[in-house]
Amino acid sequence: MPSTKLSFFIVEDEKGAQEALNDALGSQPGVEVLGMAGDVESAYEGIVKKEPDALMLDIKLRGGTAFDLLELFIENDIDFPPVILMTAYMEFEYAQKALNNYRHKIMKILQKPFLGDFEAQFEECKDSLTSFYQSKKQRLKDSKKAIYVKQGSVTYRLRLDELDYIEVGGSGTIILVTTDGRNIQIQQTLSSFMESAPSKIVRIHRNNAVNLEKISHINHEER
């Protein structure tokens, strides 16, 4: 986890539910609540200021919805923390929208009422958050790694996080496609390149290899 304590910010429009959740979280070892809000604007300002490790986020808020809040972060190019989404049964479509649009940040969806079984539910939340932060730490570690490729008389140093995918270029060459749009063609076979490639580079076809960290989705129908 990011620190010895796991910190939360509660975003819930009902005052009674807000206080009950604050008490429930406060009773868990190693957990602290940094702040609470019931409307979109106050929640945004509080989260930016407090920088919690995770959000307990209700879908319906004063002045908008959970999605209006998350879009504020995206519009202002601010990385929001992982989310435990809270929803009533009738808000299933909203919850599905969250999974579709913010899948990488939605750790768990808690269906109200859940406080009666809070400890068991919260253990699952903590497990998801632990996995999230472990993966993030590994990505940061991997992003510092680099590969060196020679093109003619020039050797390029590419950080692993700059490389999107590799494709065969023909005549014993391969093309390295980078995040910033460069196509670097080198005189080497894909098989030869893969012998010394980092583990995050995986061959998926005789003509292609991809950086696992850059995969956004897999279309199984189109293979």
Side-chain angles (χ1 to χ4, degrees):
M1 299 305 294
S3 64
T4 55
K5 276 187 173 290
L6 177 60
S7 62
F8 283 87
F9 196 100
I10 298 171
V11 187
E12 163 66 64
D13 66 329
E14 295 183 11
K15 191 66 175 177
Q18 191 181 98
E19 292 175 353
L21 185 55
N22 181 45
D23 292 342
L25 286 170
S27 68
Q28 300 299 310
V31 173
E32 62 180 340
V33 176
L34 298 183
M36 299 185 289
D39 63 273
V40 172
E41 185 177 349
S42 298
Y44 175 76
E45 292 173 355
I47 294 163
V48 170
K49 181 179 179 180
K50 298 292 186 177
E51 297 185 342
D53 299 323
L55 305 181
M56 296 294 293
L57 178 58
D58 191 21
I59 287 182
K60 290 186 177 180
L61 305 171
R62 294 193 297 274
T65 68
F67 311 116
D68 296 319
L69 174 60
L70 298 182
E71 286 302 318
L72 268 180
F73 287 99
I74 294 171
E75 290 168 8
N76 290 287
D77 197 26
I78 297 175
D79 186 30
F80 59 88
V83 174
I84 308 299
L85 198 67
M86 302 179 291
T87 176
Y89 175 76
M90 297 302 292
E91 297 167 348
F92 175 77
E93 290 186 8
Y94 281 115
Q96 192 61 49
K97 177 183 177 181
L99 286 178
N100 291 337
N101 296 351
Y102 313 99
R103 182 178 298 273
H104 67 298
K105 284 294 184 73
I106 304 296
M107 300 293 102
K108 186 173 175 60
I109 296 177
L110 296 179
Q111 184 174 309
K112 297 179 178 180
F114 55 80
L115 290 178
D117 187 34
F118 184 75
E119 288 198 7
Q121 298 266 26
F122 189 65
E123 280 302 313
E124 294 182 14
C125 295
K126 284 200 299 183
D127 289 344
S128 296
L129 289 167
T130 298
S131 296
F132 174 86
Y133 278 108
Q134 286 176 342
S135 296
K136 183 176 182 179
K137 184 178 180 180
Q138 186 62 46
R139 286 195 300 272
L140 289 172
K141 183 179 179 181
D142 288 342
S143 69
K144 297 176 182 178
K145 297 178 181 178
I147 58 175
Y148 294 84
V149 292
K150 190 172 185 298
Q151 182 187 44
S153 60
V154 178
T155 296
Y156 290 89
R157 179 185 183 275
L158 290 177
R159 295 197 320 270
L160 186 55
D161 63 343
E162 293 180 302
L163 181 60
D164 282 356
Y165 64 92
I166 304 157
E167 61 184 16
V168 171
S171 302
T173 65
I174 55 175
I175 300 171
L176 279 63
V177 181
T178 67
T179 301
D180 60 6
R182 287 177 292 162
N183 294 334
I184 302 173
Q185 183 167 325
I186 60 175
Q187 195 73 33
Q188 188 175 7
T189 65
L190 183 56
S191 295
S192 173
F193 178 86
M194 293 303 300
E195 288 178 3
S196 58
S199 60
K200 296 294 183 182
I201 307 299
V202 175
R203 190 168 188 170
I204 59 171
H205 184 268
R206 63 179 182 174
N207 294 327
N208 298 96
V210 298
N211 185 344
L212 290 179
E213 296 294 338
K214 297 304 182 76
I215 294 175
S216 64
H217 67 281
I218 298 173
N219 189 325
H220 296 280
E221 291 186 0
E222 295 184 1
R223 301 186 180 180

